Amino acid sequence: MERGRRAAGVVKWGAVALVGLTLLGGMALAVYALRTQAPLDGRLAVAGLAQPVQVRRDAADVTHIAAESPQDLWRALGLVHAQERSWQLEFNRRVMHGTLSEVLGPATLETDKLMRALDIRGAAQRQYAGLPLAAREALQAYSEGIAAFHAGRTQALTPEFLLLGVTPGREGGRDGAPWSPEDSVGWALMLALDLGGNWGNEFARLSLLRGLDTERLWQLMPPYPGEAPATAVDLAALYRGLGVYATQQAPPAPVTAGLNGLAGAIDQARADWARALAQEAGSNDGKGSNNWVLAGTRSTSGKPLLANDPHLGLSAPAIWYYAHLQAPAGQSSDGAAIGAIDTIGATLPGLPFVVLGRTARVAWGFTNTSPDVQDLYLEQIDAQDATRYRTPAGWEPFSVREEVIRIKGQADLQLQLRATRHGPVLSDVQASHGQLLDLSKYVLALRWSALDADNHTVLAGLQANQAQSVAELQQAFAHYHSPMQSIVMADVDGAIAFKAAGKVPVRHADNDLRGVAPAPGWLARYDWQGWLSDAQTPQDDGAQRGWIATANQRITGPDYAHFLTQDWHLPYRYDRIAQLLEARALHDLDSMAAIQTDVTSLATQRLLPALRTAAAQAYHPLAAQTAELLRTFDGRMDAQHSAPLVFAAWADELARGLIVPRIGNARFAATYGKRDFRAALEGILARDDGWWCAPRSCAEQSAQALERALERLQSAYGSRPAQWRWGRAHPAVSSHRPLGSVAALARFFNVQTPSSGDGYTVNVGQYNAGDVAGGAFANRHAASLRGLYDLADLEQSRFIFQTGQSGNVFSPRYADMRGAWAAGQYRPLQRTPARWTHQLVLAPRASD
């Protein structure tokens, strides 16, 4: 009995100890979480400031920064970005430097190799050196603000640094600047890489032509509706004649985690993210945006209205940080004048200006133009000397540079990178190239406009923040280089305009490939011949209709004299915007908001008759219930409805059923996903194409695709189709990098909410149907922000984005906009709000 009492006592005190340890652990976590919060009130001494700076937050959580000079303004913005988004800055810097593997291990090696090959860091240094002194000093001041945060930091670093063992700024075993002026230029280049690429389409065509003839290729990847392919060359015959393909295609290298448990899951998450980045680089598929501007003749106020919702990959924290920047006119150290700054809108952590927004008198918005500014070149290797490649003037040596990539837990990688007269050799670092090409004969090199030393995009951004009219905005954006943007503008005096700003190459009249597929690099006719001038790029003053809209559709008419690309997005979003703009004579901010949140998919309407026919012919037990759901379905991809889910699953199964037998599983997996082959499906069904549908009829293929889709949905969501919900299968997932793919951490670091729309609705909800494991219908590319501006009263401007201002997972401001964003609600965007919720003074440090 005594022994039993002792055992009970041990258990009792053990339980007490366990509870005590849990409480202590919880208290320690709470203290740490509190220490990671950015100070929002009081006074903070900051190195480098010349005068005090006011940093105030309003009820919409917009950060208002008012300084006595432009230089102090840029320093303060750098400090605020570092306070709120320190991990985002650190991660982004490592991405563009190609140093992720140093802290994340071998899983991110492919990403690092690609960034080193592109030489993002070297290109940024060359571009920074060519900027005017005033612009260089702006970037320098911004980087000083970030450095000041880290040098005088009392705020604890966010948990990513602890979980991954990262020290800000440390690279190559040495402590360095947490952010340099050149890094801001590099981050602008990374945006160009994300938005301004089509080398992925060129390579996809090269890969598909291994098994398809040219006619079938253009059926699978059709040109813009109503147009012929940009090239009449028999591409399949060209590449067969050159002998570019490897004798036997190598299987993709498996990516496996290095450890079991949580560490292994983190390794796998890093590998998945890195593989996706490398695979999606150079591709515009699934990427888009909307903007439109109305003249005062089309508004109830008599002044212009402007709307913008750029579509980007959803991330947590969001890519944007909203701020109001204010400073009087000043000058640079060489005496150059700097205009007064009073601008409010979306900033990008890493850049010292408002990218999208307004000043006191003018507003603007971007969409991606997506011209063809990337060409792949097949470079022929000298069979007698592999250090040389063929040029129009004969055999020339590759330029070669050595890079060392440090890899956590492994020996350093000595990497030899080649370049040709066109640019970096991508096939040295892109595993997919080696699986396709005979690399003993050919390599693939990239010519990309954004890498050129005259890229002064950051100068355009700095000057736009000083503009007070459409004319001044156009002058500022004349410096814009990459990626080309379709910009709509409006000012309080009633002017509106559209301009495609950026550099586009001129191709030789004898260039019969026109950039749609890799060109023989030794033939001079495929070399670029110069650039379109600013006056030659598309523009419009809106006089014809009283409004201008862009949604990544063809923005040029049949009389436009220059070739930009054939890879425009399908025009469904633009057509829907045009329908809604023309549906009423006069608009206001509420009708503009209704357009931004519209979820009617014209693309779904196009294929809906085929789906209804399939439901009538299918033999699945749920087919009759499904047919009833579809009877009243009008193509609205509403999160609360089930029919959108049926449509999405059927379209996915139909694509797989028709295309996989013709190109194989491996090639389908490499080219499908955000590229959903929707135009191909439309064409196949419209033609009742026996070649693609064989060995069955197209109607039979469609019905069987629905049967497979219903089986899949029944397994996932049960046997009552009326209770299925598109929003459950289609949550908007703002993923943390790189922890958002780790199951044990995702629920803390990712921000998720049910969402409407699809890839073709104005309120876009792009999903990657090829990512079955990660959620085939999860919305991962959507409106990264929504902005509305009434030039009759710019203080009525509205905004929203999908997460929150803070990048700290412990902050209540990490995801507090999620619900409003999903519901189509907005926050006010005001330069002079009614009240402040927080007030912080940044004071010069006494020792400075």
Side-chain angles (χ1 to χ4, degrees), residues 633-721:
F633 181 44
D634 60 358
R636 290 188 69 251
M637 306 300 282
D638 191 304
Q640 299 304 315
H641 294 168
S642 54
L645 177 56
V646 174
F647 178 88
W650 167 76
D652 178 39
E653 291 294 342
L654 184 60
R656 295 173 185 277
L658 297 182
I659 299 170
V660 170
R662 294 303 189 182
I663 67 173
N665 277 306
R667 197 163 289 118
F668 181 82
T671 54
Y672 186 61
K674 290 183 178 178
R675 180 189 293 112
D676 61 6
F677 295 120
R678 181 62 62 85
L681 293 183
E682 291 174 358
I684 291 168
L685 295 182
R687 294 188 306 271
D688 196 18
D689 195 310
W691 188 86
W692 286 99
C693 293
R696 300 174 182 85
S697 70
C698 290
E700 290 170 334
Q701 287 279 18
S702 182
Q704 291 182 14
L706 179 59
E707 291 168 5
R708 294 192 301 272
L710 292 176
E711 195 65 31
R712 176 175 162 188
L713 297 176
Q714 182 179 19
S715 176
Y717 305 110
S719 299
R720 301 181 67 180

Side-chain angles (χ1 to χ4, degrees), residues 44 73 196 216 409 435 494 524 653 660 666:
L44 185 67
L73 175 66
R216 302 300 181 192
Q435 295 157 16
E653 291 294 342
V660 170

Side-chain angles (χ1 to χ4, degrees), residues 503-772:
K503 297 293 284 289
V504 179
V506 175
R507 291 176 172 83
H508 197 284
D510 293 334
N511 183 340
D512 52 0
L513 293 176
R514 306 186 86 182
V516 302
W522 57 92
L523 298 179
R525 71 175 184 268
Y526 296 119
D527 294 340
W528 294 355
Q529 305 301 303
W531 306 93
L532 293 182
S533 69
D534 183 65
Q536 291 173 315
T537 62
Q539 52 198 320
D540 188 355
D541 63 4
Q544 181 179 356
R545 289 180 295 187
W547 59 268
I548 312 160
T550 76
N552 317 110
Q553 85 288 358
R554 175 181 282 284
I555 58 170
T556 57
D559 57 345
Y560 184 68
H562 310 287
F563 177 75
L564 297 184
T565 183
Q566 80 157 24
D567 291 330
W568 308 100
H569 286 220
L570 291 173
Y572 289 118
R573 280 184 290 111
Y574 171 80
D575 290 344
R576 181 60 177 168
I577 292 167
Q579 282 182 2
L580 296 172
L581 288 177
E582 292 292 352
R584 55 191 294 175
L586 300 176
H587 285 270
D588 56 20
L589 284 182
D590 288 339
S591 66
M592 300 277 275
I595 297 173
Q596 278 193 332
T597 55
D598 183 78
V599 295
T600 294
S601 173
L602 300 185
T604 296
Q605 290 180 354
R606 173 81 179 271
L607 289 182
L608 193 50
L611 176 55
R612 289 193 177 114
T613 299
Q617 296 178 351
Y619 291 106
H620 194 277
L622 300 183
Q625 296 178 55
T626 301
E628 181 59 24
L629 289 174
L630 295 173
R631 186 177 60 81
T632 57
F633 181 44
D634 60 358
R636 290 188 69 251
M637 306 300 282
D638 191 304
Q640 299 304 315
H641 294 168
S642 54
L645 177 56
V646 174
F647 178 88
W650 167 76
D652 178 39
E653 291 294 342
L654 184 60
R656 295 173 185 277
L658 297 182
I659 299 170
V660 170
R662 294 303 189 182
I663 67 173
N665 277 306
R667 197 163 289 118
F668 181 82
T671 54
Y672 186 61
K674 290 183 178 178
R675 180 189 293 112
D676 61 6
F677 295 120
R678 181 62 62 85
L681 293 183
E682 291 174 358
I684 291 168
L685 295 182
R687 294 188 306 271
D688 196 18
D689 195 310
W691 188 86
W692 286 99
C693 293
R696 300 174 182 85
S697 70
C698 290
E700 290 170 334
Q701 287 279 18
S702 182
Q704 291 182 14
L706 179 59
E707 291 168 5
R708 294 192 301 272
L710 292 176
E711 195 65 31
R712 176 175 162 188
L713 297 176
Q714 182 179 19
S715 176
Y717 305 110
S719 299
R720 301 181 67 180
Q723 295 184 353
W724 299 343
R725 293 293 178 265
W726 177 228
R728 181 181 172 189
H730 186 247
V733 182
S734 298
S735 298
H736 183 279
R737 296 189 303 174
L739 301 180
S741 298
V742 181
L745 301 175
R747 66 191 183 98
F748 302 107
F749 286 91
N750 286 350
V751 177
Q752 184 166 315
T753 185
S755 68
S756 299
D758 70 2
Y760 302 97
T761 51
V762 179
N763 183 4
V764 78
Q766 176 71 40
Y767 53 87
N768 181 349
D771 184 15
V772 177

Side-chain angles (χ1 to χ4, degrees), residues 458-469:
V458 293
L459 177 61
L462 288 165
Q463 292 191 359
N465 282 199
Q466 303 165 38
Q468 296 298 321
S469 68

Side-chain angles (χ1 to χ4, degrees), residues 361-363 467-475 489-491 494-497:
R361 297 181 60 83
V362 65
Q468 296 298 321
S469 68
V470 164
E472 290 180 6
L473 267 182
Q474 289 175 319
Q475 292 173 6
M489 300 164 259
D491 65 29
I496 68 170

Side-chain angles (χ1 to χ4, degrees), residues 353-368:
F353 48 80
V354 168
V355 178
L356 298 170
R358 67 178 181 92
T359 66
R361 297 181 60 83
V362 65
W364 68 94
F366 286 5
T367 69
N368 209 24

Side-chain angles (χ1 to χ4, degrees), residues 114-115 117-118 120 189 192-194 196-207 221 277-285 371-377 424-427 429-430 432-433 444-449 451 515-518 567 675:
L114 177 60
M115 294 304 121
L118 293 173
I120 296 294
L189 272 174
L193 179 62
D194 184 46
N198 80 323
W199 94 61
N201 277 341
E202 290 190 44
F203 184 76
R205 292 182 183 114
L206 180 67
S207 176
M221 296 181 69
L277 186 148
Q279 182 176 351
E280 294 173 13
S283 174
N284 283 326
D285 290 296
D372 187 349
V373 296
Q374 293 179 341
D375 278 358
L376 288 179
Y377 289 91
V425 174
L426 289 187
S427 51
V429 294
Q430 292 276 74
S432 57
H433 294 185
L444 279 173
L446 174 69
R447 176 74 174 98
W448 178 26
S449 61
L451 296 176
V516 302
D567 291 330
R675 180 189 293 112

